[in-house]
Amino acid sequence: MQNDPLSHGLWEMTAPPAPPTSPLAGQVKADVAVVGCGYTGLSAALRLAESGAKVVALEAAEVGFGGSGRNVGYVNAGMWVLPSEIPKALGADYGERALTVLAGGPAVVWETIDKYKIDCDPVRNGTLHCAVDRSGVADNEERARQWAGRGAPVRALSAAETAARVGADVYAGSLLDMRAGTIQPLAYARGLADAAIAAGAAVHTKSPVRAAERTGRSWTLRTDAGSVAADWVAVATEAYGGAPWPQVRREQVLLPYFNFATLALSPDLQASILPGREGCWDTNKIMSYFRFDRAGRMVFGSVGALRGMGLAIHRSWAKRALRKIFPRIGAVEFEHQWYGMIGMTDNALPRFHRLADNVVTFCGYNGRGIGTGTVFGRVLADHILGRIAESDLPLPVTEPDAPALPAVKEAYYEAGAQIAHAVGAWL
Ligand SMILES: Cc1cc2nc3c(=O)[nH]c(=O)nc-3n(C[C@H](O)[C@H](O)[C@H](O)COP(=O)(O)OP(=O)(O)OC[C@H]3O[C@@H](n4cnc5c(N)ncnc54)[C@H](O)[C@@H]3O)c2cc1C
């Protein structure tokens, strides 16, 4: 991806090719212009095109260039916050709608993969949130109680059950969520682009939108070599955006996350570690996570950016941490490494904004963007198509926040992760 092996790493090396696309050239007209080709923009473009709208999707770099091509591939339901916190933050009506839509995210992803035959290694065997101490166990038990109360297939596992599933006995318990699973994230983004193009959407890459002007009832978006005039604009730039709507990026504090991928593990290790192939992460404050890819490589990551001192510090920590969880793994060799930025909002909940007349966005996914982006892309399309009134959306309309001292917080996260990993914190 743009000759940077640290941006998309393993996923770039193993994803099916992206559909052929070209930069926008000349002046075109559309019903809807979509800005950004990650899950949100592509899911919106697919829905719009299938509904008969003329849609032009503009991507600054390449399909899946943002979070959609860099993430860990956990198809999770809901948000980080407890279900009971969502109505408290959004009010009873929006809270219930948001919970329902977000809880259904994984099902929509699996259905989309099946319907469009997307070749992205879906593994629908759940995820395990592994507790590192008693408070993690208590938190998981409360989550299990709340989700099970809503009829979701979520349950707390004992330390022994967790050890059997993980193949390591370092955890005090875990939360098994059978709605969830794993995918090859960049392959999923490329598959969505294939489907959107097949449905009639025009997808233009290397086409950063530089400016937007309102002319009468229509918006004109300008790129380096062309322009789109459209009645509606769906902004789907999330944490990777900038002009012409920089407020979408600015309301999020960026938290860096890195991934390393080992060489394919031996057949014995592949059989004894995560035999059910769940995706795992832990309850640590500086969280770490691990999963397998299709070829039996272990993908292992945590908070931090692989730049400057961070590259050596995080690599060395990752080797030690993996050996500590799985002592039998022996000497660890990493084949790929990459990192990206997760956009965090102050209450860890996503947002819906009307940035101007007929310019709308969902954003602020807080590291839960696969299901969320897929369903919110659809909802954005349905809103534009007049099928969902603004008052019936799953989130209220809000003005973009301006968090206090975002640059200081971002520097603190990056440096703090380096210090924690340098001194050996791992569990
Ligand atoms: C390391 C990491 C791990 C993560 N792990 C998970 C996980 O396991 N599970 C999960 O659900 N989520 C995870 N996430 C979050 C998830 O990846 C994102 O929330 C999701 O990909 C957001 O999708 P999106 O389509 O909204 O935005 P993005 O995929 O970020 O796409 C935005 C796009 O907009 C483009 N763009 C920006 N400005 C312009 C412009 N002016 N003109 C044209 N295009 C523009 C960008 O180039 C980019 O391609 C993770 C994220 C990271 C970084």
Side-chain angles (χ1 to χ4, degrees), residues 36 38-40 59-60 66-68 71-72 74 209 236 238 240 243 367-370:
Y39 307 134
T40 309
E59 164 55 46
S68 300
N71 64 67
V72 194
Y74 291 178
V209 175
E238 235 265 321
Y240 275 83
R368 291 273 172 120
I370 300 176

Side-chain angles (χ1 to χ4, degrees), residues 9-28:
L10 173 67
W11 306 139
E12 172 69 7
M13 299 311 292
T14 58
T21 50
S22 56
L24 177 72
Q27 298 175 351
V28 297

Side-chain angles (χ1 to χ4, degrees), residues 73-95:
Y74 291 178
V75 183
N76 276 319
M79 285 278 131
W80 291 104
V81 293
L82 277 170
S84 58
E85 296 303 310
I86 295 184
K88 284 186 202 158
L90 300 177
D93 285 350
Y94 281 111

